[in-house]
């Protein structure tokens, strides 16, 4: 009994943490007829996602932050939440979806990163070099919308984070020199 009650409690806390977005509409979504002919959820015309803090041709230092933007006519919700015009982001790294893949749940691997909790930003660690990034919104079952809600594919150059490593080492060396500075000359 105890275990069960604990489980229910956790779920309640999680639901509370998810915040007002999910609490505003306690009513079940109406059954939509638009989806009967296909498993894809329909998206409003002109919906798109975009990179808030990156643009095509940017140079970034790994790991770098990626902030996901979404046009105002769509909303973000965790996977499993079935409501019209909401979905969750997927970040495609060095990949694009084929037309066939656009009608199926998005794969889960290093190149198809899911944000099923409804996250709107992430840190990405990539090896130095050129990489392409694209955001694709998936519906509650991870299937892209129809028409697709996605960003343009942007290309970024990732450079290794060398700059941040050196000064710290140098600073430490300076400090140890300074602290030993006065003690050693007089003894020899």
């Amino acid at each position: 009994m105890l275990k069960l009650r604990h489980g229910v409690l956790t779920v309640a806390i999680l639901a509370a943490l998810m915040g007002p977005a999910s609490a505003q509409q306690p009513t079940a979504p109406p059954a939509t007829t638009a989806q009967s002919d296909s498993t894809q959820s329909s998206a409003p015309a002109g919906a798109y996602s975009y990179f808030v803090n990156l643009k095509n041709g940017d140079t970034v230092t790994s790991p770098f932050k990626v902030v996901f933007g979404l046009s105002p006519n769509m909303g973000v919700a965790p996977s499993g939440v079935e409501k019209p015009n909401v979905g969750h982001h997927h970040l495609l790294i060095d990949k694009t979806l084929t037309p066939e893949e656009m009608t199926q749940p998005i794969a889960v691997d290093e190149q198809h990163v899911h944000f099923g909790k409804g996250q709107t930003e992430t840190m990405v660690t990539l090896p130095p070099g050129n990489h392409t990034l694209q955001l694709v919104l998936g519906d509650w079952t991870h299937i892209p919308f129809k028409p697709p809600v996605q960003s343009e594919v942007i290309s970024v150059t990732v450079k290794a984070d060398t700059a941040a490593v050196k000064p710290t080492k140098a600073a430490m060396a300076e400090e140890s020199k300074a602290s030993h500075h006065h003690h050693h000359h007089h003894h020899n």
Side-chain angles (χ1 to χ4, degrees), residues 112-184:
H112 302 80
V113 190
H114 286 233
F115 297 95
K117 296 191 185 77
Q119 300 96 316
T120 54
E121 59 178 55
T122 189
M123 290 300 291
V124 177
T125 306
L126 286 176
N130 262 329
H131 297 278
T132 63
L133 300 173
Q134 184 183 24
L135 288 172
V136 177
L137 205 70
D139 69 8
W140 63 288
T141 59
H142 305 282
I143 298 174
F145 285 84
K146 187 177 186 156
V149 179
Q150 58 191 11
S151 72
E152 57 177 0
V153 177
I154 65 166
S155 163
V156 295
T157 304
V158 176
K159 53 184 213 261
D161 189 357
T162 44
V165 181
K166 284 181 189 143
T168 0
K169 285 199 179 130
M172 283 167 63
E174 278 304 309
E175 213 171 287
S176 62
K177 244 189 275 172
S179 58
H180 297 303
H181 194 227
H182 301 293
H183 305 296
H184 295 306

Side-chain angles (χ1 to χ4, degrees), residues 58-70:
D58 275 359
T59 298
V60 295
T61 304
S62 182
F64 58 99
K65 188 183 207 174
V66 180
V67 181
F68 317 143
L70 190 58

Side-chain angles (χ1 to χ4, degrees), residues 1 5 8 11 16 20 26 65 83 89 91 96 98 108 150-151 155 160:
M1 281 307 287
R5 215 177 299 138
V8 172
V11 172
K65 188 183 207 174
K83 286 200 298 208
H89 290 287
L91 178 60
T96 52
T98 64
V108 182
Q150 58 191 11
S151 72
S155 163

